[in-house]
Amino acid sequence: MHPSDDPGWAGKGWSMAFTAYFILLLIYLLLPLLIVIPVSFGEDQWLQFPPTSLSLRWYRSYFSDPGFIAATFTSFWIACVVSALATVIGTVTALGLSRTRFRGKSLLYGFIIAPMVIPIIIFALALFILFNQLKMTGSVAGLILAHVVLALPFPVLIVSAALEQFDTTLERAGRILGATPLRVFLHITLPYLAPAALASAIFSFFVSFDELVIALFITGRWDTLPKRIWSDLRLEIDPTIAAVAAILIAITLIGITAGELLRRWAMARAAN
Amino acid sequence: MMMNEQKQARSEGSAFWLLVPAILLLIGLFGYPLLKVLITSILDPGFTLAHYLRILDRPIYLTVLARTVEVSLIVTALCFLLGYPAAYYLAHCPPRLRTYLFLLILLPMWTSLLIRSYSWIVVLGKNGVINLGLIQLGLIAEPLQMLYTTGTVYLAMVQILLPIMILTCYGVMIKIDQGLVRAARVLGASAWRAFATVYFPLSLAGVSTGAVIIFILAMGFFVTPALVGSRQDIMLGNLIETQINQAVNLGFASALGLLLLAATIAVVMLFRAVMRWRFSHASV
């Protein structure tokens, strides 16, 4: 333990016990996910760990199922659009929040965060009623906008945190030296915000890509990947799901590690 | 000076426009639809309380509501008990190690909720990893029934929500001034007393934020109970889903949704009041 962090009551025995406890907790959080990966390379109809013989049977089964591939593709491009929209709107909102002072600002802040902390089933129900009335059930645009609302808290929070440490004298210097506001934004503000915005884009992508409940309520007939997995899990559990799960876990691992490192880099750079 | 202020006010006025897209989006796709839920619940097609009376008509709805609140409270308490020490560890371990441990907490948090529920099927199912392992070792002859039980619902829900408690507690703990704890120790407080009277009250803000978020999210769960729970483990969310996707009774689904929302808000407000009361007494 770092001396300045030592609270003064954690003796050596305590510290060992704490470490052991933390490791056990990590096992609880991670082991079920990690087990899915070797299981997905099994040969048998029944999942086994360790698998008796290795094969790519379930991966072939996934890649040769047109329904699965179409659902994956749909989820992927929707998540890309959501990510771009949420990042742009979220960045613009964070800029607006950092440059204005008005009564009710914290109320607006709460309103922006609300979709993240309301039971999602109520949000989904509300959207179902809205789209039903507008005769928009099954609309892709509807799902995209709904996901943007759901993802928006992440860009707003991440970019706001970066802006808190932004030195606005740089912008003023640019203006005094004769640059147009647009030029200042493109050459000073935007490069500064780029890592935070990129981190936001990654997190927003996953909000949309993994979202089931809203899609289940408002998409009508077509499938997204989570919807397809859900219906498979409710009918019969085919090991193909293990292969899909393993791919998703790997993608999440890479994406979230990149997103988090970018976010940290953005914060560390801002602090200097 | 005057001119400068005017200029500042003008630039603030134009910055205000930056907030417009988000406000429009939130009103159109969040505020307004939620209002629609309220309206739909009291129309059929004219004003009626029939949907609410139907909830009282049969005991199942209130029984399920009570169970939903109970499960959510227990899950929240378990997340606190398991997550608080973990957050403490994270906040007080060497900074270099912290980055990696933090990532290990984030990873399961961002993995699809469906996949995390599914992973419990792989581990605990009749042909799951644990059952096959125990049979191979000769410890049991028949597979144990672990999946589709209430215990598994708790196991899976706590695993899904726990990272939130760890992160909110960590966020507050990292900002606690260790000098205060040392001061208490220097003044003769035992290690335990310094923790209980100085550190813990300061960290409560993180605990209460985490608890509120976890409770709210738990109240709306329906995917996990449907996948790993038994028939008796359904939550209010499952009933709402049935009303939407099978019965297509929007009025009744809305009434159930508002019941869920009202119960959630009531418990959160009660919790906040208790915390405030405890706080004002603790500081005396």
Side-chain angles (χ1 to χ4, degrees), chain A residues 1 5 7-9 19 21 28-29 32 47 92-93 99 101 117 119 121 123 125 128-129 203 226 242 260 264, chain B residues 12 18 22 29 32 82 86 88-89 92 102 106-107 110 114 118-119 127 155 159 181 185 191 216 237 244 250 254:
Chain A
M1 247 179 212
D5 275 355
W9 63 279
T19 307
Y21 172 76
Y28 170 47
L29 289 175
L47 303 166
V92 165
T93 308
R99 271 143 217 236
R101 270 167 300 161
V117 291
I121 190 145
F123 184 29
L125 170 68
F128 179 81
I129 291 171
F203 287 111
E260 176 62 11
R264 274 167 189 272
Chain B
E12 255 190 42
L18 298 172
L29 279 129
Y32 174 69
L82 292 174
Y88 187 91
Y89 184 82
H92 297 281
F102 199 82
L106 273 189
L107 178 68
W110 279 91
L114 262 176
Y118 165 73
S119 72
N127 295 293
L155 195 68
Q159 192 237 16
V181 180
R185 294 283 280 136
I216 295 173
I244 291 279
L250 290 188
S254 298

Side-chain angles (χ1 to χ4, degrees), chain A residues 202-223:
Chain A
I202 292 174
F203 287 111
S204 306
F205 175 89
F206 281 104
V207 169
S208 167
F209 193 65
D210 289 338
E211 199 285 319
L212 168 69
V213 184
I214 294 172
L216 199 60
F217 280 22
I218 68 170
T219 52
R221 283 182 196 187
W222 49 278
D223 266 352

Side-chain angles (χ1 to χ4, degrees), chain A residues 42-64:
Chain A
E43 168 82 80
D44 313 297
Q45 183 64 40
W46 296 115
L47 303 166
Q48 285 206 23
F49 179 84
T52 43
S53 58
L54 293 177
S55 92
L56 290 175
R57 183 178 166 194
W58 306 115
Y59 288 85
R60 272 196 296 275
S61 154
Y62 164 63
F63 284 106
S64 59

Side-chain angles (χ1 to χ4, degrees), chain A residues 24 37 79 133 141 156 196 231 260:
Chain A
L24 278 177
I37 295 170
Q133 181 202 13
V156 173
S231 63
E260 176 62 11

Side-chain angles (χ1 to χ4, degrees), chain B residues 87 90-91 102 164-176 203 205-206:
Chain B
L90 200 61
F102 199 82
I164 297 174
M165 180 64 87
I166 298 177
L167 295 185
T168 53
C169 287
Y170 166 82
V172 171
M173 285 172 175
I174 200 89
K175 291 189 187 125
I176 292 178
S203 67

